[in-house]
Structures are given as C-alpha cells and as structure tokens.
C-alpha cells in the first residue's frame, strides 16, 4: 500500500502502468513468495518425472492447467532473484494458485464429509462441496484481481473490494462503489459475464443432482402394489446389471415384477443413462444404501420382497474380503426378512459354509473347478462353454473390424436342435456315425455338430465316439 497516494490526483499513462506492474512489498513477503515458487517448481518437476514415459505425455502434462499455472508463477518469482532491487516489487498474480489447489481441497473435503456422515459418496453431496469451494476460489480470484486493478482510479480496502464483488455477483448492485477507469470497467464487465455463464450451469447441475438424490433416497412401499425383488451389490457394473435384467425379464412370468437396485455408491453416468431408457424406467427403482443397515432394508421393503439377489464384485484384489462383505449382508437380510428368498453369489468355495441360511448359493470358484474337471473328462467343453457365454462389444476389447468379423464367424453363440429324421439337411445321416456326420455337415453346410441325444436312454452325449450310430429319432444339437 502506498502511503503517499492522492485520490484527487489523476495519474498519467506511464504512472498507471507502473501502478499495475510494480507493487511495494517487504523483504519478508518477497522471501515467502520465493518459497512458494520453489514448491511450485518442485511440483512441476515431479509431474514431469512421473509423465516421462513418452514425449507426448510430457507435452500433455505441461499443457495441464495445474502444471501450467505452477510453472508460470514459479518461474516468474524466481526471475525476480536476478534483479532483486528492481524486480522484487514486480506484481505476480499468485492468487491464481488457489485453482490448482481447488481439486485437492475438494477431494479432501468430500472425503471428510462422507466419513463424518458414515455414508457412501453421492453426487449431490459432492456437487454441494464442489460448488461451495468453486465459489470461494471464484470470489477470491476476482477480489484480488479487482483490488489490484482499481489502484489506478480507486483506493479500496480488501473488504470494500469483497463487498463490491458480492454485490455484483448476486446482481444486487447497490451502486455505492463504481469503477471510473475504462480498464476497470472492462474487467468488471468480464467478471459479470463470467459469473452468469459459469454459475448458472453449476446451479442447474446441483439441482439435477438434488432431484436424483431425492429419488435415490425415497422409501419404497410395495405392500399393496406390485411384487418386487431386490438386487444388492457394492459396485454395480453396467454390464452385470444389464445381463441380469435381460435374463430376468426374458421370462413372461416376471413382467409384472418390479426390481429395486440397492447400491452403496452412486451410480456411474453410463449406468444412469442405461436405466433412463423407457424399457427399464418403469420397472426399476434405484436406492442408495446397504443391506447392513436395517433402515435401508426398510426403505427397500425387504420384508415384502419375493427374493433378494446379492452380487459380489469380481476382480478384487482380495476375494475373501469381498466374500466377507457378502456374507455379512446375507446375514443381515436373513435376520430382517426371514421369509424372503435369498440368492447369493460368492467367489471362494470355502466360504459356502457360512451361507447355510441362504436359499441358493452360486460359487464362482466351484464353477471354474467344475469346468476344469469336465474339460478333462470331455475335451473341448471349456472352450464350448466360454464361446456360448462370453459376449462383448468390439470397441471394449480393442479388436479391429477384421478380427471381430472373424470372431463372429467362428464363435456364434446360439445352439439349435433338430430331430434327425425331420431335418431337411441331416436326414441322410441316419445310419452313419457321428464323426462322419460332423465332418460332412461342416464341409457342406458350415454347421458344427456338438452332440446328440438318443431317444432310447435320453442321455445327451457331447462329441460321441465312432461307435455311436445316428438313428432316425435322435436329437442333434449344432451351431
């Protein structure tokens, strides 16, 4: 702050530029700024070392907003060391460092709020915290910027500048403080336009998150309405939920059954978009909660539910931990709703002994072991089952178009059956062995015979040996 400032004196053009470029500061403040500059450059060096795998990654890191702000401000402060007597008072907008710190502060604050609330993260709470910290950074930036630029026509205190920013950003406009210089007027115009353009979308997103959170936290009462089931999972993946819903509603008896999805964390955006489809919008209700809390089970009306399905998150570093969470959830559901049928999926076979109270238990480890055992008894069955059950999209696997066409040609996923005597193409295989029929059918019709069911004993034989002679009443299975 200049002590010899005369508010009635009009500054010349050169004096106005010097007033903006040079700001008197003490040596202690300058030393503190040099320490901040050193820390900024250390952050930039650490980021570049972390991204030093390729040149493209280094360039992308340098163009990152956080790294760029730290690099520019840190470099400008260190330049003042070259000519300390002249450049010590150089004005550097160090207040812009609040924006690189905004992301870290937002993440830490959200985690603290979630930990104190003892609840899983949700979009609305995160939006509130993010908007609050954004308003602080936005207001702080413009307070510092306007406070500096008003030096050429007004000498406002920091609180008066804060008052002017709050009155302007809220569109109240008392008019007690008004800039007179054209540069300050232009800057205030940019501030008003930026506030309107940035804050309105932020408020709209906050309202949308509030509406969604109200929907997710509503209680569900089906005691006098449709039948419903509950699907629980710690991390519901879109493909898992899609496959479950498609399989569940493929049965016509399930058309009038409503599905309540109880998840601990907020849904990802792609899953929200999938559930907003008209096919699922009236059939599915999503609730944020956990089976370990009776209040969440009451919101989902677990006592009147037909069944409850517990999905375990796959591909976890510790499958035993995932099974422990699933087992505790199964116990909680059984205690709260004893009459509700319980279908549980776990990963380790050794954990099945803790789920004796469940109606049905599906163990992924047992399925893998059974598949390996069946492969040793009937070679090729593991590849067959994999091709029948495995589905994917080409963009998810990184396949080229030619690779995907080859996969589609060699791995269709539908199995057909036909009585040998009634088949237009296979009837002439009567009296032949299975190997002959399989070779001729593949070469002539591009059809792969998998197995045959004999009408005498009713057993299904996959790839039988040469001694099996096809009969008129046999049922052939092919892809």
């Amino acid at each position: 702050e200049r002590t010899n400032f005369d508010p009635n004196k009009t500054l010349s053009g050169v004096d106005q530029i010097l007033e903006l470029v040079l700001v008197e500061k003490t040596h202690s403040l300058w030393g503190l700024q040099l320490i901040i500059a050193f820390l900024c450059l250390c952050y930039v060096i650490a980021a570049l070392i972390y991204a030093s795998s390729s040149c493209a990654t280094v360039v992308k890191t340098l163009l990152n907003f956080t790294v760029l702000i730290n690099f520019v401000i840190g470099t400008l402060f260190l330049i003042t060391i070259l000519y300390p007597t002249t450049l010590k008072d150089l004005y550097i907008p160090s207040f812009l460092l609040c924006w690189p710190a905004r992301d870290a502060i937002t993440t830490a604050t959200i985690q603290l709020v979630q930990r104190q609330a003892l609840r899983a993260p949700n979009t609305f709470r995160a939006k509130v915290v993010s908007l609050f910290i954004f308003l602080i950074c936005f207001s702080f930036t413009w307070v510092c910027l306007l406070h500096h630029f008003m030096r050429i026509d007004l000498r406002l205190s920091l609180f008066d500048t804060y008052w002017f920013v709050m009155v302007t950003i809220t569109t109240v406009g008392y008019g007690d403080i008004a800039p007179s210089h054209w540069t300050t007027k232009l800057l205030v115009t940019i501030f008003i336009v930026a506030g309107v353009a940035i804050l309105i979308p932020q408020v709209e997103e906050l309202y949308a998150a509030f509406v969604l959170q109200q929907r997710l936290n509503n209680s569900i009462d089906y005691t006098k309405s449709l039948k419903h089931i509950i699907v629980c999972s710690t991390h519901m993946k879109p493909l898992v939920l899609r496959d479950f819903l498609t399989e569940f509603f493929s049965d016509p008896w399930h058309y009038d059954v409503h599905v309540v999805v109880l998840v601990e964390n907020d849904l990802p955006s792609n899953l929200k978009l999938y559930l907003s489809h008209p096919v699922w919008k009236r059939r599915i209700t999503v609730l944020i909660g956990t089976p370990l809390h009776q209040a969440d089970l009451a919101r989902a009306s677990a006592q009147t539910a037909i069944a409850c399905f517990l999905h375990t998150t796959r591909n976890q570093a510790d499958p035993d931990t995932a099974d422990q969470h699933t087992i505790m959830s199964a116990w909680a559901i059984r205690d709260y709703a004893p009459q509700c049928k319980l279908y549980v999926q776990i990963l380790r076979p050794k954990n099945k002994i803790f789920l004796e109270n469940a109606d049905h238990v599906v163990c992924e480890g047992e399925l893998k072991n059974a598949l390996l055992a069946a492969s040793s008894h009937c070679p090729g069955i593991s590849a067959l089952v994999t091709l029948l059950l495995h589905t994917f999209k080409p963009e998810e696997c990184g396949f080229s178009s030619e690779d995907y066409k080859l996969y589609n040609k060699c791995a269709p996923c539908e199995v057909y059956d036909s009585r040998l005597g009634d088949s237009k193409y296979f009837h002439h295989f009567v009296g032949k062995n299975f190997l002959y029929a399989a070779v001729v059918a593949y070469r002539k019709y591009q059809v792969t015979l998998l197995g045959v069911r004999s009408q005498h004993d009713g057993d299904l034989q996959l790839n039988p040996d040469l001694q099996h002679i096809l009969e008129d009443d046999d049922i052939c299975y092919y892809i």
Side-chain angles (χ1 to χ4, degrees), residues 280-309:
W280 308 119
K281 194 170 184 179
R282 295 182 178 273
R283 294 181 173 183
I284 300 173
T285 300
V286 181
L287 299 178
I288 299 295
T290 171
L292 299 177
H293 292 168
Q294 288 191 359
D296 294 332
L297 293 176
R299 289 169 47 224
S301 297
Q303 293 183 343
T304 59
I306 302 175
C308 183
F309 297 85

Side-chain angles (χ1 to χ4, degrees), residues 418-431:
S418 176
R419 183 177 177 272
L420 197 63
D422 299 334
S423 175
K424 180 179 179 180
Y425 303 101
F426 300 152
H427 68 277
H428 55 270
F429 293 145
V430 175

Side-chain angles (χ1 to χ4, degrees), residues 127-315:
K127 285 288 183 182
V128 171
V129 175
S130 178
L131 180 59
F132 178 73
I133 297 178
F134 173 82
L135 288 176
I136 293 178
C137 294
F138 186 78
S139 303
F140 176 73
T141 300
W142 282 101
V143 165
C144 296
L145 195 61
L146 292 175
H147 180 263
H148 176 70
F149 271 83
M150 286 183 177
R151 296 165 61 91
I152 58 179
D153 58 349
L154 297 173
R155 178 61 66 168
L156 298 179
S157 65
L158 196 61
F159 183 79
D160 289 337
T161 310
Y162 162 77
W163 168 257
F164 173 75
V165 168
M166 290 295 104
V167 169
T168 305
I169 199 174
T170 56
T171 67
V172 176
Y174 286 114
D176 53 344
I177 301 176
S180 58
H181 198 270
W182 69 269
T183 56
T184 312
K185 291 181 179 179
L186 179 61
L187 193 63
V188 172
T189 303
I190 298 175
F191 165 61
I192 295 173
V193 174
V196 173
I198 296 176
L199 292 181
I200 290 180
Q202 294 274 353
V203 174
E204 290 180 351
E205 292 180 5
L206 181 65
Y207 176 73
F210 173 76
V211 173
L212 177 62
Q213 193 64 30
Q214 288 294 105
R215 178 173 174 263
L216 295 177
N217 290 331
N218 284 338
S219 299
I220 306 299
D221 185 11
Y222 289 107
T223 55
K224 298 181 180 180
S225 58
L226 297 176
K227 299 176 291 184
H228 75 286
I229 64 170
I230 302 174
V231 181
C232 304
S233 178
T234 52
H235 301 281
M236 183 63 69
K237 295 184 178 180
L239 292 178
V240 174
L241 183 59
R242 184 200 64 183
D243 293 341
F244 176 84
L245 295 176
T246 303
E247 185 71 21
F248 182 79
F249 286 110
S250 63
D251 190 343
W253 293 97
H254 296 161
Y255 286 169
D256 61 340
V257 179
H258 198 86
V259 177
V260 178
V261 181
L262 186 63
V263 291
E264 295 187 8
N265 300 317
D266 196 10
L267 298 179
S269 57
N270 54 349
L271 186 53
K272 293 178 183 177
L273 181 63
Y274 176 73
L275 295 179
S276 62
H277 193 278
V279 175
W280 308 119
K281 194 170 184 179
R282 295 182 178 273
R283 294 181 173 183
I284 300 173
T285 300
V286 181
L287 299 178
I288 299 295
T290 171
L292 299 177
H293 292 168
Q294 288 191 359
D296 294 332
L297 293 176
R299 289 169 47 224
S301 297
Q303 293 183 343
T304 59
I306 302 175
C308 183
F309 297 85
L310 278 174
H311 287 269
T312 300
T313 305
R314 298 180 180 181
N315 303 324

